[in-house]
Amino acid sequence: MQKKILSDQTLDELKITEKKQRSLFLLSILFFLIITGISAYLTIEDGVTLYTLIPVIILPFVIYSLVHFRKVKDEIKSRTSHILHQKRMEENR
């Protein structure tokens, strides 16, 4: 399945994408926190091992999901503000 570019999506599609991205972002944060907790526990028990670096490896995925989520939110905000601006212009006529 090919992803649609945000600018090509309708406002309804963007809202669905926002819900999906919010869920993915929250799941990635939850996963990151769980892995960080496990890593901290293993570091305390066994000292510094390879498990200590796992949260550092996962962090870019969390940041990527945050950035994409914000892009979707910004696109929705831009569209809604543009629609509101058009309505105001029509009312002033």
Side-chain angles (χ1 to χ4, degrees), residues 56-83:
V56 175
I57 295 169
I58 295 173
L59 189 60
F61 297 106
V62 174
I63 293 171
Y64 175 77
S65 66
L66 172 65
V67 167
H68 193 68
F69 176 61
R70 286 199 176 172
K71 283 181 183 178
V72 173
K73 284 185 72 162
D74 289 343
E75 183 69 25
I76 291 172
K77 186 177 180 181
S78 169
R79 297 252 185 110
T80 54
S81 67
H82 179 71
I83 291 170

Side-chain angles (χ1 to χ4, degrees), residues 5-90:
I5 299 172
L6 293 178
S7 59
D8 293 341
Q9 293 182 8
T10 64
L11 190 57
D12 292 332
E13 290 174 331
L14 280 172
K15 289 181 180 181
I16 292 170
T17 303
E18 179 191 21
K19 288 180 184 178
K20 289 178 185 178
Q21 289 302 318
R22 179 183 294 131
S23 297
L24 287 173
F25 175 62
L26 293 175
L27 282 174
S28 65
I29 286 178
L30 179 65
F31 181 68
F32 176 74
L33 291 174
I34 290 170
I35 294 297
T36 301
I38 292 170
S39 176
Y41 173 76
L42 291 174
T43 301
I44 291 169
E45 290 294 316
D46 300 335
V48 177
T49 61
L50 183 61
Y51 297 115
T52 307
L53 296 177
I54 291 176
V56 175
I57 295 169
I58 295 173
L59 189 60
F61 297 106
V62 174
I63 293 171
Y64 175 77
S65 66
L66 172 65
V67 167
H68 193 68
F69 176 61
R70 286 199 176 172
K71 283 181 183 178
V72 173
K73 284 185 72 162
D74 289 343
E75 183 69 25
I76 291 172
K77 186 177 180 181
S78 169
R79 297 252 185 110
T80 54
S81 67
H82 179 71
I83 291 170
L84 289 174
H85 181 69
Q86 283 182 340
K87 286 182 181 179
R88 287 182 187 150
M89 293 296 288
E90 288 175 4

